[in-house]
Amino acid sequence: EGSFKLGDKEVVLLGGNYVWKAAPYLPPLEIIERNAEEIAKELAEAAYEPKPGADGEPRSKVPCVRLGAMFEAMMPDAAGQIDTTWLERLSQAIDAFGRHGVYVFLDAHTDGWSTTNGGNGFPWWMGAEMQRTAGAETSYITSPEHPLELAIPDKLAEMLRKVGANIPMINKVANDTDPWRDFSVNSGTGNPRYMNLGNLNMRLNNNDGAWANATLMLTKQVQNS
């Protein structure tokens, strides 16, 4: 058991994740309020009791959550332009948990770097700027010029598959001749902020099964980032 101090008393923190990985990034406030109440109530009623602390004194159970504070939510469109509406909603969420005695750890969460790679976390414009200043051979975003590709060389990936290694494949919609254009940076086909959801080919590589196979994590885009 991990142990923390609240004031001068040892406590045990118990809780879980509270992370929305796409817009609007937080549920309505009334839902958060109800969830906070339920978290506190269920922990108070739980049969589990922590072992005494190092000083032999009883340790209290303290509810907590890891609350998603996504960078892409705070600064969605450009460097330095903070979404004050979202910031206020985050503050209200923290207050809602606090009213029920639930402690909050802010989590600047990321999976697969950014929406332009099929993931979430960092804002799309950050990867776009990295791509703008990089050499043509280096991929930070996914686009027609920088297709989603594994960082593992094709021949090595094939050899590893033959000996039983679980090396994923990049999947694409059949007969789609331009799979990485929709919602890509500077394509005019949709806001890159939503490429992880709006591009059908990307959805083939960031669904639950693909996450289980670590498909995105093994791409050039994510490894370079």
Side-chain angles (χ1 to χ4, degrees), residues 149-163 165 167-169 220:
E149 296 179 310
L150 294 181
I152 304 171
D154 290 343
K155 289 185 178 180
L156 177 58
E158 189 59 33
M159 289 173 59
L160 290 171
R161 291 186 189 107
K162 286 181 178 179
V163 297
I167 306 299
M169 305 279 289
K220 289 181 178 180

Side-chain angles (χ1 to χ4, degrees), residues 9-22:
K9 298 291 187 182
E10 280 194 48
V11 299
V12 175
L13 300 178
L14 296 167
N17 296 326
Y18 203 90
V19 181
W20 280 34
K21 299 180 181 181

Side-chain angles (χ1 to χ4, degrees), residues 37-217:
E37 182 180 8
E38 291 169 348
I39 290 169
K41 181 175 182 293
E42 289 178 7
L43 183 58
E45 295 174 350
Y48 165 75
E49 290 297 336
K51 297 176 183 177
D55 58 1
E57 293 296 315
R59 292 186 295 169
S60 299
K61 300 176 292 188
V62 174
C64 64
V65 292
R66 187 176 75 148
L67 179 62
M70 311 288 278
F71 190 177
E72 67 177 82
M74 180 183 70
M75 207 176 289
D77 297 314
Q81 296 183 10
I82 294 175
D83 185 340
T84 55
T85 300
W86 175 83
L87 200 60
E88 176 61 23
R89 292 182 62 228
L90 178 65
S91 179
Q92 291 174 350
I94 294 170
D95 289 344
F97 282 113
R99 281 191 289 274
H100 297 280
V102 180
Y103 283 74
V104 170
F105 293 85
L106 291 180
D107 173 28
H109 198 84
T110 178
D111 292 308
W113 172 250
S114 178
T115 61
T116 53
N117 306 324
N120 57 75
F122 287 92
W124 71 269
W125 53 262
M126 185 176 286
E129 181 63 13
M130 292 169 67
Q131 189 65 66
R132 186 186 69 80
T133 57
E137 299 302 313
T138 303
S139 295
Y140 288 104
I141 63 174
T142 306
S143 68
E145 297 76 26
H146 297 275
L148 194 69
E149 296 179 310
L150 294 181
I152 304 171
D154 290 343
K155 289 185 178 180
L156 177 58
E158 189 59 33
M159 289 173 59
L160 290 171
R161 291 186 189 107
K162 286 181 178 179
V163 297
N166 185 24
I167 306 299
M169 305 279 289
I170 299 297
N171 295 303
K172 292 178 283 189
V173 174
N175 303 318
D176 189 339
T177 58
D178 200 5
W180 310 117
R181 180 169 299 280
D182 288 351
F183 293 85
S184 62
V185 174
N186 296 327
S187 68
T189 58
N191 190 334
R193 184 181 180 187
Y194 305 113
M195 189 178 188
N196 57 343
L197 300 175
N199 184 294
L200 293 180
N201 292 281
M202 199 64 85
R203 293 295 290 128
L204 293 177
N205 296 281
N206 69 1
N207 56 52
D208 288 348
W211 278 115
N213 290 329
T215 302
L216 291 184
M217 304 310 295

